Structure formats: C-alpha cells, structure tokens
Amino acid sequence: MSTQTNASNASNTQPTLYTHAKRRFADAWLTPGVRQATQLLLVLTLFAGSAMGQTDVGNIYCDTAVEDGVNVVFGALAGLGLPATMVFVGRSGLSYMRASGNPNQQNEARRDLILSLVGLGVVVLAIVAPELITKFGDNVGFGFSDCVTPF
C-alpha cells in the first residue's frame, strides 16, 4: 500500500500536460516578438476587411487629398532622393580614392560608400516597387486603382 501512496504523491508533484502547456504559452506570450506579431495580425485583419470588398484597391481615394499626397511624396522622392544619393555616392567614392595610405580613412570612406549605395538601392526600390506590386496583383487577380499608383 505504501508504494501506491508514494506513486500518487509523485504524480501530484509533477506538472500535468495542461499546466506545462499553460506555462509555456505564458512564457511565449511575454516575448516581445510574439506580442508584436499578434498586434500586427490584428491590425491587418481590421484594415483588410474594407479592402476585400473592392475590385480595384484604392479607388475610394480617387479625386481626394490622398491621391495628391501620394503624387507629392513620390515626386519628392524621385526629384530629391535620386540626386541626393548620387551626390553622396560620388562624395564617398572620391574620399575612398583619396584615402590611399590611411587605413582609418579607407574604412570610414568604405563604410560611407556602402551606406550611400544602400540608400540609392532603397530609393530605386521605392520607385520601382509600385510597378512590381501592380504587375503581381494583375497576375494574382486583383488590381490597384490608377489614381493611387504613382508615376
């Protein structure tokens, strides 16, 4: 009889599957990544409902301030972003060529050149991305309104 009592006491001290799962879920929920991902999914679910009922996404923005805002932002990005990044790429390239014997200046110029090229890539991708997204949407079966697509 004493062996059964010891076995039942041992099973009571060990956590059950439910309490173990509950503890693991609480630990996972406390991590910032899980909480932020859940919040992002909730926001996307909230705002995706109104877009699902449209055949052309964005046609509610035609002839409004949003259309003008999109055109102004992308015009400024192309008009100011490309020349500015080209100036920074040229300046950092020249400083790299002039730093022939000094390794500290070479490393700093190389870092500036890499960051300038990354900035140029971001600007070019921001200009090209709406067209790529539009072509992808056409292939998948939904389209974007012409008044929201910049350029």
Side-chain angles (χ1 to χ4, degrees):
M1 233 190 202
S2 63
T3 57
Q4 290 178 350
T5 308
N6 289 339
S8 66
N9 287 340
S11 66
N12 288 340
T13 59
Q14 292 179 352
T16 63
L17 183 62
Y18 172 74
T19 58
H20 182 69
K22 187 176 174 183
R23 187 178 311 126
R24 296 298 256 167
F25 179 74
D27 290 343
W29 179 251
L30 292 176
T31 59
V34 172
R35 185 169 287 180
Q36 291 171 352
T38 305
Q39 290 171 349
L40 177 67
L41 286 173
L42 289 173
V43 168
L44 287 176
T45 304
L46 177 68
F47 291 116
S50 61
M52 293 284 200
Q54 300 176 9
T55 56
D56 283 337
V57 177
N59 60 1
I60 60 173
Y61 299 118
C62 293
D63 299 327
T64 63
V66 174
E67 178 184 4
D68 297 335
V70 167
N71 291 334
V72 166
V73 166
F74 275 92
L77 179 70
L80 299 174
L82 282 176
T85 55
M86 293 305 293
V87 165
F88 285 117
V89 167
R91 189 184 76 180
S92 60
L94 284 174
S95 66
Y96 183 75
M97 289 190 300
R98 289 182 182 167
S100 59
N102 192 345
N104 289 336
Q105 286 180 347
Q106 280 182 336
N107 289 338
E108 187 175 326
R110 183 181 301 126
R111 181 184 53 98
D112 289 343
L113 182 61
I114 289 171
L115 291 176
S116 299
L117 289 173
V118 167
L120 179 64
V122 167
V123 170
V124 169
L125 185 64
I127 292 172
V128 174
E131 185 66 29
L132 293 175
I133 292 170
T134 302
K135 288 193 184 283
F136 175 75
D138 290 341
N139 288 335
V140 173
F142 69 91
F144 292 97
S145 176
D146 290 334
C147 65
V148 180
T149 306
F151 301 123

